Amino acid sequence: MNLRAGKNAMEMSDFKLASSYFDNGISFLQINHWTEHYNLSLEVFELAAKCALTNGDHTRVKLLYQEVVREAHLFEDTLEITYTNIRALYSASCLEEALT
C-alpha cells in the first residue's frame, strides 16, 4: 500500500510525500524481508533512494545504497541504486568518491 501511494506521489512530483510513504513502507518490513520479500524490498529501497536524492538527502541515499549492496543477490540488482548514489555524490560535489 505504501509502495503504491509513494509511486502515485512521485507521479505528481511530490517527492517529500513519496519519501515518507517509502520510509513508512520500509519501517513496516519484517526483519527477514530481504529473504522473504526480496523484490519488494529492492523496489522500495530504490524508490526511496530516488526520492531522497530529489529531496537533497544525500545521507539517506548512502544508507539505502549500502543496505541494498549488502543484501543484493546479483550485481545487476545493485545497478539502479548505484546510479542513484553516484548522482547523489556528484550533486554533493564529491566527484572523487563518485568515481570510486
Side-chain angles (χ1 to χ4, degrees):
M1 183 188 262
N2 281 294
L3 179 62
R4 190 173 345 150
K7 286 179 176 181
N8 288 338
M10 284 180 75
E11 288 176 10
M12 295 183 300
S13 299
D14 191 344
F15 294 98
K16 288 193 186 290
L17 181 61
S19 184
S20 70
Y21 282 125
F22 295 134
D23 288 344
N24 282 335
I26 289 170
S27 73
F28 290 131
L29 292 172
Q30 298 174 353
I31 293 172
N32 55 351
H33 64 93
W34 284 106
T35 304
E36 293 186 12
H37 304 287
Y38 180 78
N39 290 330
L40 172 66
S41 299
L42 190 60
E43 184 176 11
V44 75
F45 272 72
E46 287 174 348
L47 291 171
K50 287 180 182 179
C51 287
L53 172 62
T54 303
N55 294 330
D57 189 350
H58 301 120
T59 302
R60 181 77 175 135
V61 173
K62 184 175 182 175
L63 292 172
L64 293 163
Y65 163 76
Q66 289 172 336
E67 183 161 350
V68 170
V69 168
R70 185 176 59 248
E71 300 293 340
H73 295 170
L74 303 170
F75 171 75
E76 291 82 1
D77 292 342
T78 67
L79 294 177
E80 187 70 33
I81 201 157
T82 298
Y83 176 65
T84 302
N85 187 54
I86 290 169
R87 288 176 49 209
L89 291 169
Y90 180 77
S91 69
S93 299
C94 299
L95 300 178
E96 228 175 273
E97 191 177 348
L99 295 174
T100 59

